Amino acid sequence: GVCGVVGRTELFDTFEIISVDDNMVNHVVVESSLVPRGYQVTKCMGGVETLNLLETRGFLPDLILLDCMMPGMSGYEMCERLREKYPCNTLPVIMVSAKDKEDDIVKGLKAGCNDYLSKPFGSGELNARIEVQLNLKYLWNVEIHRLMGDRAAILHLPPELEEEMRSGGGTVKLHKRATVL
């Protein structure tokens, strides 16, 4: 992992999204949108529970969907706490809220979220925003490995892409987790 932080996909080869919301109905909506697309969804009812989960297990989720308005610790405060330990390229956060005024969105972005999604949202928009963040995270990791040396970057690729790069394939191809030029 980057900076010594292991991501879930490095261990289990599936994407995990943590849904942080104090309303179980919102978890059901998220699950019904993400599980059919192959995502593992872990539900947390608040910020403290989520921070404890991140501290006690040995890997990070691929992304967090974070409600802004929760009792106790708000989503804004939780995001600030996350950013003290995990940069935005290591742990993407999409804030989700019924608050859709510009001031609310700016507050979320200043707290450190990667994106902000207003409720109600459609399944297509949610999935598209998640895909963008996961792709950006992957590209950040590739760039960091490139800076550490081309060998590290090649070792991080799936085996079929490693072989294609070594053989000098010259066409642009899109793969699930990479674009080969």
Side-chain angles (χ1 to χ4, degrees):
V2 177
C3 304
V5 178
V6 177
R8 186 178 193 286
T9 51
E10 294 172 279
L11 298 172
F12 302 106
D13 201 34
T14 59
F15 291 110
E16 179 193 30
I17 310 295
I18 292 183
S19 174
V20 185
D21 200 309
D22 62 315
N23 185 331
M24 191 54 79
V25 172
N26 292 335
H27 287 300
V28 171
V29 170
V30 166
E31 276 188 314
S32 68
S33 178
L34 300 182
V35 170
R37 299 219 180 194
Y39 293 110
Q40 168 70 38
V41 177
T42 301
K43 298 178 288 288
C44 290
M45 297 303 287
V48 173
E49 177 186 351
T50 307
L51 293 172
N52 288 338
L53 176 67
L54 295 177
E55 288 297 319
T56 57
R57 64 185 197 172
F59 57 90
L60 290 176
D62 296 287
L63 184 138
I64 293 179
L65 290 175
L66 178 59
D67 183 41
C68 293
M69 300 181 298
M70 296 182 292
M73 180 186 302
S74 73
Y76 301 111
E77 182 184 348
M78 183 187 160
C79 194
E80 289 170 349
R81 299 255 313 262
L82 285 171
R83 290 300 172 239
E84 291 171 5
K85 188 164 186 177
Y86 309 108
C88 62
N89 62 310
T90 301
L91 183 56
V93 174
I94 298 176
M95 292 193 107
V96 181
S97 180
K99 294 179 143 194
D100 60 357
K101 301 277 190 281
E102 181 180 5
D103 289 348
D104 299 313
I105 297 168
V106 169
K107 183 176 180 181
L109 293 168
K110 285 186 175 183
C113 73
N114 298 63
D115 198 358
Y116 192 103
L117 182 59
S118 298
K119 295 178 190 176
F121 52 81
S123 178
E125 181 181 10
L126 174 63
N127 279 285
R129 288 176 185 269
I130 288 171
E131 286 178 26
V132 166
Q133 293 306 318
L134 293 177
N135 285 332
L136 288 171
K137 177 181 176 177
Y138 180 75
L139 291 172
W140 268 105
N141 287 336
V142 168
E143 182 63 13
I144 288 168
H145 286 284
R146 185 190 67 77
L147 293 171
M148 293 169 46
D150 290 337
R151 179 80 180 127
I154 288 174
L155 290 174
H156 196 65
L157 291 174
E160 67 274 11
L161 296 182
E162 178 182 347
E163 180 58 36
E164 186 171 332
M165 289 181 72
R166 289 185 193 282
S167 69
T171 60
V172 175
K173 293 185 181 176
L174 297 175
H175 296 268
K176 181 178 177 188
R177 297 184 44 158
T179 300
V180 178
L181 303 175

